[in-house]
Amino acid sequence: MKPIYAHSFNLTPKEAVELQLKLKKNLIFDSDFNIEDVKLVAGADVSYSKKENMLYGVVVILTFPDLEVAEKAWVKGEAEFPYIPGLLAFREGPVLLEAFKKIEREPDIIFFDGHGISHPRGLGIASHLGVLLNKSSIGVAKKNLVGEVFELAKTKGATASILKDGKEIGKVLRTREKVKPIYVSVGHKIGLEKAVDLTLKTIGKYRILEPIRQAHIFSNEVRTSKS
DNA sequence: GCGACAG
DNA sequence: ATCTTGTCGC
């Protein structure tokens, strides 16, 4: 995969915020995305070596709806931007984009480990990289970042709104009965209902959806064995 | 000023 | 996220 847009990630936090506001204008919501046409889904994640200050970005391609791993790519790169809530894409984006360049198969959609538009300025890592790659994307986080989260039933598949300024910016989703929920928001080129629906369809036997789970496992493998 | 704060 | 041991629960 190749990004259609490119920009420097070598920015100050203030410049990064300004860029987010510009990139946000490229977001497309609720396009004619069809879950029935999905053949391949991607999961992207990053692991970090504190000792070496290195990031390991990985992309895993899974078949859909069978969820079998079909392709993997990884890239090691120096962590040049600090972790700042709201600016995660500037830390993890570079190494993930390099990993996407190595991927040969074209996924129909990408799941990112982090938020989409459920973000202080409406442009989390899933939205940001979705725009640069011109690809449908969904943000799936394990913790909330902004907005008010409502209670949800204990049953698998239960959802509740994440509201900010009176608007629904994402959904909390229970992926397994009585297990902590995950936080789903639109990244790019898809609507919230379909994003939640597709996320639920990528749940295997665990709390975390298979695309992200496999990416997480793989990123830890490359960090601990191939470094 | 204070508290919150994806990975 | 990483570092890091044992421990509680299905």
Side-chain angles (χ1 to χ4, degrees):
Chain A
M1 293 183 71
K2 277 186 59 178
I4 62 160
Y5 297 141
H7 68 70
S8 172
F9 280 91
N10 183 208
L11 304 171
T12 64
K14 185 179 192 301
E15 292 168 336
V17 167
E18 291 168 1
L19 178 56
Q20 287 181 327
L21 299 177
K22 276 177 64 179
L23 287 173
K24 184 181 175 182
K25 296 171 183 165
N26 295 298
L27 282 178
I28 296 172
F29 300 128
D30 206 1
S31 64
D32 48 7
F33 185 87
N34 274 313
I35 292 180
E36 283 144 22
D37 296 337
V38 175
K39 302 293 184 208
L40 295 174
V41 299
D45 192 22
V46 173
S47 70
Y48 172 59
S49 169
K50 187 176 182 180
K51 186 172 179 290
E52 301 178 298
N53 196 40
M54 296 297 282
L55 297 176
Y56 296 79
V58 315
V59 175
V60 175
I61 305 288
L62 310 193
T63 60
F64 184 87
D66 295 341
L67 308 178
E68 304 280 352
V69 176
E71 187 179 347
K72 300 193 254 189
W74 66 279
V75 165
K76 177 181 182 178
E78 188 173 350
E80 300 180 340
F81 197 94
Y83 169 67
I84 300 172
L87 297 179
L88 180 64
F90 294 87
R91 179 174 176 81
E92 300 192 345
V95 74
L96 284 178
L97 289 174
E98 288 304 311
F100 276 111
K101 286 182 185 173
K102 292 187 170 184
I103 289 289
E104 309 216 347
R105 300 228 227 171
E106 189 73 22
D108 298 295
I109 193 162
I110 306 164
F111 288 95
F112 287 92
D113 191 2
H115 292 280
I117 64 168
S118 181
H119 174 276
R121 291 165 294 281
L123 195 90
I125 188 167
S127 299
H128 189 147
L129 298 188
V131 166
L132 297 191
L133 292 164
N134 189 34
K135 179 66 63 181
S136 290
S137 64
I138 299 173
V140 184
K142 296 177 287 298
K143 295 176 184 173
N144 199 33
L145 177 59
V146 294
E148 181 183 2
V149 178
F150 287 76
E151 286 302 311
L152 71 169
K154 303 291 187 188
T155 54
K156 175 175 181 176
T159 64
S161 295
I162 303 173
L163 260 44
K164 184 191 172 200
D165 302 327
K167 282 174 288 190
E168 185 173 53
I169 57 176
K171 290 270 200 186
V172 208
L173 171 64
R174 186 96 59 193
T175 57
R176 299 212 67 192
E177 185 166 342
K178 297 175 182 176
V179 165
K180 280 175 50 174
I182 60 175
Y183 302 77
V184 181
S185 63
V186 166
H188 184 47
K189 287 182 161 184
I190 190 171
L192 182 57
E193 304 308 314
K194 288 174 184 173
V196 170
D197 193 6
L198 185 60
T199 299
L200 202 48
K201 285 181 162 66
T202 63
I203 298 297
K205 304 171 69 173
Y206 306 91
R207 173 193 177 221
I208 302 301
L209 52 158
E210 282 303 300
I212 296 295
R213 202 178 79 88
Q214 292 299 335
H216 193 268
I217 291 170
F218 187 48
S219 68
N220 280 310
E221 279 177 7
V222 297
R223 176 172 52 83
T224 57
S225 69
K226 298 171 184 173
S227 68

